[in-house]
Amino acid sequence: MKKTVQELAEFLGGTVIGNGDTVIEDVKGLAEAGQQDISFAVDPYTEYLPQVHAGAVIVEKEVPAGDNTLVVVENPRLAFSQLLVLFHPRQSVASGIHETAIIDDSAVIGENTAVMAYAVIGKHVKIGNHCTIYPSVFIGDNVTIGDNTTIYPGAVIHENCVLGQRDVIRAHAVIGGEGFGFATENGKHTRIPQIGNVEIGDDVEIGACTCIDNATLGSTKVARGTKVDNLVHLGHNVEIGEDCFIIAQTGIAGSTKAGNHVIFAGQTGCTGHITIGDNAVFAGKTGITGNIKGGQIYAGFPARPHMEWSRTQVYLKHLPEMAKTIKTLEKKIAELEKKTEH
C-alpha cells in the first residue's frame, strides 16, 4: 500500500506540517523508520525527533522535528494504531461452517459467520452475524454470542454464558468455568454447586489463558469496553465496570465489585467481597485487602495511596542506619540516666 502523508492526515483527521506529498509505504517505530515510513512520538521521545529521518511522524503538537514532516493529531497512539490496521490488516476468514465442526441442530448461527475446524457448539446456542469461531473452540449449551465477536483457538465458553457484540476472546481463555466454592466440615471440603454464569458486555477483550469463573448464583460480569490481559483470574460473582484495564497475572477474588475506569497493573492481588471505586489505579503487585475509594493511585501491600507508599519505601531504605542511630541514642540515654541517679 502507498499513501501520501496528506492522504494519511485526512484519514486520521490531522494536520500536516511539512511535505504532504511524501509517499508512505509502511508504519514503523522511530528507530527503524525511513523516508517511506510513518511513525509516532509522544513526550519525552519527541526530543529525539531531530535525529529521526522518517517520511512523517505523528505527534500531538508541533515540536522541533529536524527534517521530519509532522502530522498533528489529538491522540498519536490511537492514530498510530489506526495506521497499523490500515497498512497491516488482519487476515480475513471466509464465512461458512467447516465440515469437521460439530454443531447441535438446535444452535442458531448468524449470517456471514465462520465456524472453523473442530469447533464444538452445544444445544440452543445463539451466535450473531459476522462472528469468527476459530478451530477447537468449545461453546456450551445455551450460550449467546453477539455480532462481530471473535473467539480464538482453544477457547472454552461454558454453558449459559452471554457474550456481547465485538468481543474478542483470545486463545485458550475459559469463560464460565466452575466457580471456586466449598463448604468445609471436620476438615473435609465439599463443593458448593456454582449454578450461575458469566455475562460479558460489548467491546470487551479477554486475553489468552485468562479464566473468568461463573457465579455461584447470578452472574459474574465484565462490563462494556473493559480489556483483560493474558493470565488473569476473575473469581465467582466478580463484577468489573466499564473501560477497565486488568493486566497480566492479576487475580480478583469472588464477589468483588470494581467501578468504571479502574486499572489493575500486573500481578495485583485482590481479596473478595470488597468494593473498588471508579478511576482507582493499582500499581504492579499491589495487594488489595479492603474497600478502596476511587480517583486515587494505590501501591504496596496492603494497598495504600501511592505517595504514602513512596514515603514508606524511602524510610525502609534507611532502616539499618536508623536502627544504629536508635541504639546509639538508647545507649546515651542509659548513660545519662545513670549519671542522674548519682
Side-chain angles (χ1 to χ4, degrees), residues 8 14 37 55 65 75 80 125 146 154 164 169 178 205 215 237 254 268 298 322:
L8 294 178
D37 305 315
N75 188 331
F80 189 69
V125 170
I169 311 298
E178 185 83 356
E205 294 195 19
N237 292 96
T268 294
Y298 297 88
M322 290 170 68

Side-chain angles (χ1 to χ4, degrees), residues 44-257:
Y45 301 104
T46 51
E47 64 181 88
Y48 300 109
L49 286 183
Q51 304 168 36
V52 174
H53 301 288
V57 180
I58 303 168
V59 294
E60 187 177 14
K61 59 186 176 182
E62 185 174 1
V63 293
D67 58 0
N68 293 289
T69 292
L70 300 179
V71 177
V72 180
V73 299
E74 289 186 4
N75 188 331
R77 291 183 185 275
L78 177 60
F80 189 69
S81 70
Q82 291 172 326
L83 292 188
L84 286 172
V85 173
L86 180 67
F87 280 89
H88 298 278
R90 298 281 188 181
Q91 68 175 40
S92 60
V93 176
S95 61
I97 298 173
H98 194 274
E99 60 184 9
T100 62
I102 300 173
I103 302 174
D104 189 86
D105 291 341
S106 62
V108 177
I109 310 297
E111 297 180 359
N112 299 312
T113 284
V115 180
M116 301 174 72
Y118 303 108
V120 176
I121 299 174
K123 299 175 183 177
H124 308 294
V125 170
K126 296 179 181 178
I127 299 177
N129 302 322
H130 308 287
C131 293
T132 302
I133 311 300
Y134 276 85
S136 301
V137 168
F138 173 83
I139 300 175
D141 296 347
N142 304 309
V143 166
T144 299
I145 298 172
D147 297 343
N148 297 291
T149 287
T150 300
I151 304 177
Y152 281 92
V156 175
I157 316 298
H158 282 282
E159 61 274 8
N160 303 317
C161 290
V162 178
L163 276 61
Q165 300 184 57
R166 299 174 299 279
D167 288 344
V168 177
I169 311 298
R170 302 286 177 189
H172 300 288
V174 179
I175 310 300
E178 185 83 356
F180 194 74
F182 294 86
T184 302
E185 185 175 4
N186 299 324
K188 295 183 178 180
H189 311 302
T190 301
R191 173 167 285 283
I192 299 171
Q194 310 285 293
I195 63 172
N197 72 341
V198 173
E199 294 183 1
I200 295 177
D202 297 340
D203 301 302
V204 171
E205 294 195 19
I206 306 297
C209 297
T210 281
C211 296
I212 303 178
D213 292 348
N214 69 344
T216 306
L217 299 168
S219 299
T220 302
K221 297 180 180 181
V222 180
R224 183 205 58 78
T226 283
K227 313 300 181 186
V228 182
D229 199 1
N230 304 333
L231 299 170
V232 168
H233 178 216
L234 304 183
H236 59 80
N237 292 96
V238 164
E239 295 184 14
I240 304 296
E242 296 184 351
D243 296 307
C244 295
F245 273 132
I246 307 179
I247 314 304
Q249 298 184 357
T250 289
I252 301 177
S255 298
T256 285
K257 293 178 172 56

Side-chain angles (χ1 to χ4, degrees), residues 24-46:
I24 301 298
E25 298 181 2
D26 204 354
V27 184
K28 292 185 179 179
L30 277 178
E32 300 82 21
Q35 287 297 312
Q36 283 74 51
D37 305 315
I38 188 168
S39 187
F40 86 105
V42 295
D43 291 337
Y45 301 104
T46 51

